[in-house]
Amino acid sequence: MTADAAVTEIPLPTPARKVPSERTHHGDTFIDHYEWMREKESPELIEHLKRENAYTEAVTRSQEPLREAIFGEIRDRTQETDLSVPARKKGWWYYSRTEEGKQYGIQCRVAAEDTGDPTRDWTPPVVVPGQPVPGEQVMLDGNVLAEGKPFFSLGGLSVTEDGTLLAYSEDNAGDERFTLRIKNLETGDLLPDAVPNVFYGLAFSPDGTRVYYTVVDDSWRPYQVRAHTLGTPVEQDAVVFQEDDVALWTGFEISADRTQLLITIGCSEYSEYRVLDLAAPERGLTTLLSRDERILYDAEPLTLDGAPYYLLTHDRDAKNSMVSLVAAGEFAKPLADQAWTTVVPHDDAVRVEGATVTRTHLVLSVRKDTIERVQVLPLAGLGTPAQGVPTEPDFDEELFTSNLANAEFDSPIIRLSYTSYLTPPRVYDYVLEEGSLELRKETEVRGGYDPADYVAERHWAPATDGTLIPLSVIRRADLPRDGSNPGLIYAYGSYEVSMDPAFSIARLSLLDRGIVFVVAHIRGGGEMGRSWYEQGKKLAKKNTFTDFVDATTYLGTSGWVDAGRIAAMGGSAGGLLMGAVVNLAPEKYRAIVAQVPFVDALTTILDPELPLSALEWEEWGNPITDPEVYRYMKEYTPYETVRPVAYPRIAAVTSFNDTRVLYVEPAKWVAQLRETTTGTEPIVLKTEMDGGHGGASGRYSRWRDIAWDYAFAADAVGATAVLARSTSSVG
């Protein structure tokens, strides 16, 4: 059955009830007919979502064979029984493994040896998928923990320095409220300690007597760091720090040298560090640079020649950030009087994204020419004329991602992850003193995958204002450049988040059906540095949306794609993007897949009591206090700019327990679209009733979610069959 034929046989949806509700700000009144859907416990609302799911199933029933085919392809290409490369911490090698037929990972470890030979001691044991690992100890089996529960997700893991206790947190609803538990790894027993309603982030103190964790407030903002002392009632847990500014988030980490608790308070524009000496916590917190200085920075303590310093990655007079070395005592002085020594100078072409240390080296994460990479610099001579020059591993692909995966403080190696659009994930050990790479693993793709069958290349699309937008274009190598191919364009474009090159087994199912897959690195993301982000936020946010439309226009004239066969996809803030572009240029898209879409952003941000709303002011502006921001947002917020045009087919995919983008946003949006569209294409809402922001839990459930989204898009652009391979490639 063709896609067009399927459209003629669909049933009619049940119209949503309309209840007018007025919202007035800055002299403007908006009538919202679907705000009643926010009543999550309402039986009428539950019944409405169930009807929508039934309608969606009816509309997309013809896509079921395609969904099953894509799911099967993902499964067939995936090494289901697999292991990660063991990573050493103190006396153990830690790794995770998966088993065929099981939804969740299994966390394991084996004992390490200390022979006195650093190379031997830090070379991970060889583990082979499907073969027993001698001496293996299973710490946590997610499949056992998930039994009988509608949802399962781990929020964090931490092991004591001596390896005897494991702290972990689990979520069984999808709402990202976790329960913290402690397991004795020597006996296998759970301690009576159980802390409910914790957020992401947990860590043992170095002596193993306390667990630090974060707590969110009623609007889901992480605002407290607490300490639970093992064996004491939860009610006695100490509040180490509390942040009362509703526009700031709070997090923490243990320093690389395990001497300090580093508490971070901040937003996208400035930050503040409070530090706790873990050897003397009774001394309380010390502030490094106050938030009043309006500097965005990260801090890492280190000791040089016996003296305490901090390494600051900061934007003080450095839009793309730089790295400075500051003696610990300097922070007691006024900022103007402090002595800072430049370690990594500012560069307009290089974004410094972070820094950490081992006992011997500084490890940098930088972004250059859109590509994230890792650089290392010896600590010897740091901040002096004898300082060395940063070096980085050499890779031979144009579009790749190289990340720091692990850097144990005492290790002579750092662990790197590497991937590209064509290269499955690899794990390397980088020997710091030698500058050499040791390949530890490349993820296996079953079924005879050959990267030579595909092409990934950089294109540049001109925006209306003349800015060149980088595109990553991935396709089958044998596709003809005759303007006949279907395309799918994906983007995010917010919060300075970069859509970096990464391999995807699922994407192969689209490529093999002839779809040209394009990632648009639009403004609002971080791919081209801090200015790229700033040109796509607040009162420049519309650049994000017009960049995407301009990228779509370019794609349709590139010779690779038929302008009439383009689908678009994006999630969360990328879902807002989907709603905005389909209002701007509905005629350019055959289909839109909006995943957990933030499409009612103005309503949400106008109510600081709603989850995470106040934290959004630094990204979008504050429409509560600023009438210009209110006016500007109302001009692009998808829900409020739906207009009487022929919309393409649209799928809004959401989760009932999502705490980041509430289900009500896509529910309202779909109702408004259906009421307003002048076209006949189906507009559907699919709600995962037991899922969170990432959808259903479990890898097979996630694969089915991906297959559903991809089938919806592929069906719309007429790319349902796998293409036969040409004997010659057209590049």
Side-chain angles (χ1 to χ4, degrees):
M1 181 183 294
T2 67
D4 290 336
V7 170
T8 64
E9 299 176 12
I10 62 173
L12 293 175
T14 302
R17 184 168 64 94
K18 297 174 66 173
V19 181
S21 173
E22 289 190 2
R23 186 197 72 206
T24 301
H25 285 271
H26 307 295
D28 175 74
T29 297
F30 174 69
I31 307 298
D32 190 339
H33 292 284
Y34 301 111
E35 181 63 11
W36 67 268
M37 295 182 184
R38 196 172 297 279
E39 295 297 325
K40 187 177 182 181
E41 305 303 321
S42 162
E44 180 184 7
L45 181 275
I46 300 294
E47 186 58 32
H48 172 76
L49 296 180
K50 289 180 178 179
R51 282 200 310 271
E52 288 291 331
N53 279 346
Y55 172 69
T56 298
E57 175 57 30
V59 168
T60 64
R61 187 168 291 124
S62 64
Q63 297 167 18
E64 178 63 22
L66 179 56
R67 290 198 291 264
E68 285 301 313
I70 293 174
F71 173 80
E73 289 159 13
I74 296 171
R75 186 166 186 167
D76 290 345
R77 287 179 169 129
T78 300
Q79 179 68 45
E80 295 183 68
T81 298
D82 205 359
L83 303 93
S84 65
V85 179
R88 182 165 183 173
K89 178 182 177 182
K90 300 298 181 181
W92 295 86
W93 290 100
Y94 293 88
Y95 59 98
S96 63
R97 58 181 175 83
T98 56
E99 295 182 2
E100 184 173 353
K102 294 186 177 180
Q103 289 265 32
Y104 301 97
I106 303 168
Q107 309 300 321
C108 308
R109 69 179 184 177
V110 294
E113 291 184 333
D114 288 308
T115 66
D117 179 349
T119 300
R120 178 177 175 182
D121 292 345
W122 289 92
T123 298
V126 176
V127 291
V128 180
Q131 294 186 13
V133 179
E136 177 182 271
Q137 178 184 5
V138 174
M139 300 188 299
L140 282 183
D141 186 336
N143 303 285
V144 174
L145 292 175
E147 286 180 4
K149 299 169 183 174
F151 184 92
F152 173 76
S153 178
L154 287 175
L157 293 169
S158 180
V159 181
T160 52
E161 298 281 299
D162 64 7
T164 60
L165 298 176
L166 168 71
Y168 68 95
S169 58
E170 62 175 317
D171 169 17
N172 298 129
D175 60 3
E176 298 179 283
R177 287 191 187 272
F178 299 84
T179 298
L180 168 62
R181 305 186 193 280
I182 313 293
K183 183 177 182 179
N184 186 319
L185 293 177
E186 295 180 323
T187 67
D189 297 329
L190 284 178
L191 275 60
D193 307 68
V195 184
N197 296 321
V198 309
F199 198 54
Y200 295 102
L202 58 89
F204 274 109
S205 60
D207 64 6
T209 63
R210 297 179 305 282
V211 181
Y212 295 99
Y213 61 93
T214 56
V215 175
V216 296
D217 62 14
D218 291 339
S219 66
W220 240 260
R221 174 182 66 97
Y223 82 117
Q224 282 186 347
V225 176
R226 295 183 185 178
H228 173 71
T229 300
L230 271 59
T232 66
V234 172
E235 296 76 19
Q236 296 179 11
D237 285 5
V239 176
V240 181
F241 177 78
Q242 176 172 314
E243 177 53 56
D244 294 323
D245 188 332
V246 297
L248 299 178
W249 48 258
T250 302
F252 76 89
E253 61 182 351
I254 304 294
S255 63
D257 63 7
R258 308 291 294 170
T259 64
Q260 296 182 23
L261 179 72
L262 306 174
I263 297 177
T264 314
I265 310 103
C267 61
S268 65
E269 299 184 350
Y270 57 88
S271 56
E272 177 179 285
Y273 267 70
R274 307 283 181 95
V275 301
L276 183 72
D277 184 346
L278 292 172
E282 68 278 359
R283 296 177 185 171
L285 297 170
T286 300
T287 301
L288 299 184
L289 297 174
S290 166
R291 68 191 72 182
D292 296 335
E293 304 294 352
R294 290 302 192 262
I295 296 173
L296 185 64
Y297 71 102
D298 291 324
E300 186 69 55
L302 73 163
T303 301
L304 295 175
D305 298 325
Y309 288 85
Y310 283 92
L311 206 62
L312 299 185
T313 305
H314 64 89
D315 68 350
R316 184 186 183 192
D317 301 321
K319 184 180 288 289
N320 269 344
S321 293
M322 59 186 292
V323 180
S324 298
L325 186 65
V326 185
E330 293 294 305
F331 295 108
K333 304 174 184 178
L335 178 61
D337 297 334
Q338 295 176 16
W340 292 21
T341 301
T342 297
V343 172
V344 179
H346 178 257
D347 188 333
D348 286 332
V350 179
R351 177 78 163 107
V352 181
E353 299 196 322
T356 188
V357 294
T358 69
R359 189 175 294 279
T360 59
H361 283 74
L362 163 63
V363 184
L364 296 165
S365 174
V366 301
R367 184 178 299 277
K368 183 179 181 182
D369 299 328
T370 78
I371 301 301
E372 187 177 10
R373 56 196 79 207
V374 175
Q375 297 180 341
V376 298
L377 183 64
L379 292 182
L382 198 70
T384 74
Q387 176 180 307
V389 176
T391 59
E392 66 180 61
D394 185 30
F395 299 109
D396 58 4
E397 291 185 271
E398 176 192 11
L399 304 179
F400 68 89
T401 301
S402 176
N403 288 320
L404 177 66
N406 188 46
E408 278 299 305
F409 186 69
D410 291 314
S411 175
I413 63 98
I414 57 174
R415 176 71 49 83
L416 301 179
S417 62
Y418 176 91
T419 187
S420 76
Y421 292 117
L422 305 182
T423 303
R426 292 175 178 170
V427 175
Y428 287 99
D429 279 347
Y430 183 75
V431 183
L432 292 167
E433 290 296 334
E434 301 174 6
S436 59
L437 281 173
E438 298 286 345
L439 178 63
R440 299 302 185 193
K441 178 176 182 175
E442 178 172 323
T443 300
E444 181 181 352
V445 181
R446 298 167 60 187
Y449 168 72
D450 184 349
D453 291 338
Y454 306 90
V455 172
E457 55 195 7
R458 173 57 42 81
H459 290 207
W460 296 88
T464 304
D465 64 4
T467 302
L468 292 178
I469 309 155
L471 308 179
S472 296
V473 180
I474 309 104
R475 58 178 171 81
R476 278 255 297 250
D478 58 354
L479 285 187
R481 190 173 185 175
D482 60 2
S484 68
N485 303 303
L488 189 151
I489 182 167
Y490 174 89
Y492 187 75
S494 291
Y495 304 106
E496 203 179 358
V497 172
S498 299
M499 296 292 102
D500 291 321
F503 186 78
S504 167
I505 281 179
R507 187 171 57 228
L508 296 176
S509 292
L510 296 181
L511 300 178
D512 283 349
R513 286 169 171 80
I515 293 176
V516 177
F517 193 102
V518 178
V519 181
H521 306 286
I522 53 184
R523 282 175 283 187
E527 289 91 340
M528 299 283 284
R530 182 71 179 186
S531 293
W532 196 251
Y533 167 51
E534 292 177 345
Q535 291 171 33
K537 67 180 292 192
K538 290 189 172 179
L539 294 178
K541 189 62 198 174
K542 290 180 185 177
N543 285 335
T544 303
F545 314 133
T546 56
D547 280 2
F548 190 89
V549 173
D550 291 339
T552 306
T553 300
Y554 166 84
L555 186 60
T557 59
S558 67
W560 286 111
V561 171
D562 179 348
R565 300 176 68 197
I566 297 177
M569 182 179 293
S572 197
L576 185 155
L577 170 70
M578 292 299 99
V581 301
V582 80
N583 284 335
L584 285 173
E587 72 285 354
K588 289 185 179 292
Y589 304 99
R590 285 292 298 271
I592 296 284
V593 179
Q595 302 154 321
V596 289
F598 190 32
V599 283
D600 194 18
L602 186 54
T603 300
T604 295
I605 297 173
L606 282 168
D607 187 351
E609 300 301 317
L610 290 177
L612 304 177
S613 292
L615 295 179
E616 301 289 351
W617 295 339
E618 294 301 331
E619 180 71 18
W620 315 93
N622 187 344
I624 300 173
T625 60
D626 191 332
E628 178 67 6
V629 170
Y630 176 87
R631 177 198 62 78
Y632 188 81
M633 288 193 69
K634 194 176 180 187
E635 290 175 355
Y636 69 72
T637 303
Y639 178 59
E640 299 182 58
T641 50
V642 172
R643 57 195 179 97
V645 294
Y647 282 96
R649 66 190 69 177
I650 296 173
V653 181
T654 189
S655 293
F656 190 55
N657 292 323
D658 192 342
T659 58
R660 297 173 183 262
V661 179
L662 301 185
Y663 71 89
V664 66
E665 299 204 20
K668 290 169 59 177
W669 181 53
V670 165
Q672 189 64 52
L673 283 166
R674 287 218 197 105
E675 179 188 353
T676 311
T677 184
T678 62
T680 58
E681 293 283 6
I683 298 170
V684 301
L685 174 69
K686 176 175 173 279
T687 305
E688 171 59 57
M689 299 304 290
D690 293 317
H693 193 60
S697 64
R699 58 175 175 165
Y700 298 110
S701 299
R702 286 194 297 272
W703 294 350
R704 289 201 177 277
D705 286 345
I706 294 169
W708 196 98
D709 295 351
Y710 278 8
F712 187 90
D715 178 71
V717 297
T720 59
V722 173
L723 302 183
R725 293 211 175 269
S726 170
T727 56
S728 62
S729 296
V730 179

